[in-house]
Amino acid sequence: MKINVKLYGTLSRRFPGYRPDAGLELELPEGATTKDLLALLGLSAVQGAVVIAAGRVLKADDALPPGIPAQIFQSLSGG
């Protein structure tokens, strides 16, 4: 399945030529999970990557909804 992914925070710096207006067009197997998407991109939830699709935060083992764009945010902390 194809999925469009937009990156936020400093995550886009990892991908030379990344265009925020277009995002990344990726190919994943049917039934791919959030963990699969992050692995393909060389990211992990441990690094603070949060995946949102269809208006909800996805857990590592959640299946990605087909045809729905995903956003990956970098967790921030501070105070």
Side-chain angles (χ1 to χ4, degrees):
M1 77 177 164
K2 289 190 181 201
I3 184 168
N4 181 272
V5 177
K6 297 223 175 167
L7 305 171
Y8 296 89
T10 60
L11 294 174
S12 62
R13 294 181 191 164
R14 294 172 169 245
F15 303 92
Y18 175 77
R19 292 183 29 224
D21 59 322
L24 298 171
E25 196 72 32
L26 302 173
E27 184 73 36
L28 289 161
E30 291 295 325
T33 65
T34 301
K35 190 182 340 180
D36 298 328
L37 171 62
L38 293 175
L40 178 66
L41 294 171
L43 303 170
S44 75
V46 174
Q47 294 171 306
V50 177
V51 180
I52 298 175
R56 63 189 257 287
V57 175
L58 301 179
K59 295 177 184 168
D61 292 324
D62 285 346
L64 295 166
I68 304 292
Q71 297 84 36
I72 302 178
F73 291 86
Q74 180 178 14
S75 294
L76 301 174
S77 63

